[in-house]
Amino acid sequence: MLKRATGWSVLLVTIFLCSACATTPTRPSEPGFAERYHAYQALAQAGHESFQKHDYRASIDQYTQAIALSPFVPADHYYRGLAWFKSGNNEKAIEDFDRVLLLDARWAPAYLYRGLAHLNRGEEAEALGDDIAALNLNTKDPAVHNNLAWLYATAKDEKVRDKVKALEHAKQAAALSKEGNAEILDTLATAYAINGKIREAVEAERKAIQREPKDQGFKTRLAAYEKALQENEIKQAAAGMQSNTK
């Protein structure tokens, strides 16, 4: 889930806007302009390639050098922010996502990942604000609905927690993803459970496990839901028996 930085299968939105697409000027306006431009191109490309290889330390270093040469390209700050996020440095990630949104306020994935970074820092209100901003820019993104559902379902802050909205967004995420993502189905199961719909929670968690059969967290939650469902059925049966004896 994109919802959690641990194992989320967090659903990565790849929007590599290669800033190296501009046409090289045939007559540089000043000595060394072309050399600096080509150096920037090479560093930005190297940073993206390192990111794709999950070499986040190298990616950060290469993007930092590229940004020093050309600091106003949103994609460079975005991918360096993602590399910081993947490396566990949420503070640095937030700084880069702030820069992305200063340069382009409609960059929805920057809101999405800044929200996750805030959530990792326990800043639930800030995370909610970013998730809502991302949703306003793209209402059809299942990752955004999934993040909102998870936040509404698990927030410690009572002002943020909302079990009704959690289920609403979890259902939206599942529908938009055509129930093809295990983490989204796990979120849906959680949302059903906190709303007292235990049978539905069991069904959703079983679907999640079908897609990710090795995930121990899914299995643990399924066992808890199945136990709760069994206990509910025993209580209902006992209540029925008492009613019949009256």
Side-chain angles (χ1 to χ4, degrees), residues 74-244:
D76 296 342
H77 293 284
Y78 176 70
Y79 273 97
R80 188 175 68 173
L82 282 183
W84 283 122
F85 177 81
K86 295 287 187 178
S87 301
N89 193 325
N90 294 294
E91 183 176 358
K92 286 288 189 180
I94 289 170
E95 289 177 4
D96 265 328
F97 296 138
D98 285 345
R99 294 185 184 102
V100 174
L101 295 168
L102 178 64
L103 294 167
D104 184 354
R106 296 188 62 80
W107 197 291
Y111 285 111
L112 188 68
Y113 277 95
R114 191 174 69 175
L116 285 171
H118 278 304
L119 188 58
N120 288 343
R121 288 163 56 91
E123 298 161 350
E124 294 176 338
E126 290 83 352
L128 179 60
D130 279 339
D131 285 348
I132 290 173
L135 181 66
N136 289 336
L137 289 170
N138 187 357
T139 60
K140 300 298 184 182
D141 187 346
V144 177
H145 285 285
N146 187 65
N147 282 16
L148 275 167
W150 184 254
L151 181 56
Y152 281 132
T154 63
K156 296 177 182 178
D157 186 343
E158 292 183 0
K159 295 179 180 179
V160 175
R161 191 168 62 250
D162 188 324
K163 66 180 184 180
V164 175
K165 288 183 179 179
L167 184 55
E168 174 188 334
H169 285 287
K171 286 181 175 179
Q172 283 269 24
L176 288 167
S177 63
K178 298 180 180 179
E179 296 193 354
N181 182 277
E183 199 160 326
I184 286 176
L185 289 167
D186 177 59
T187 301
L188 179 61
T190 299
Y192 274 133
I194 64 173
N195 280 276
K197 298 179 181 293
I198 306 302
R199 188 176 300 280
E200 291 87 342
V202 169
E203 292 174 358
E205 201 68 67
R206 284 175 177 168
K207 290 179 181 179
I209 292 173
Q210 286 175 358
R211 287 152 183 78
E212 294 287 346
K214 295 182 180 180
D215 193 297
Q216 292 302 316
F218 295 171
K219 293 178 180 179
T220 298
R221 284 186 283 281
L222 176 60
Y225 299 149
E226 288 177 334
K227 181 179 179 181
L229 180 61
Q230 185 179 34
E231 290 173 351
N232 285 349
E233 290 174 343
I234 291 172
K235 288 178 182 178
Q236 290 172 4
M241 290 176 63
Q242 290 179 354
S243 177
N244 291 334

Side-chain angles (χ1 to χ4, degrees), residues 32-44:
F33 179 86
E35 288 80 359
R36 291 198 303 275
Y37 174 68
H38 290 306
Y40 161 75
Q41 280 186 311
L43 287 164

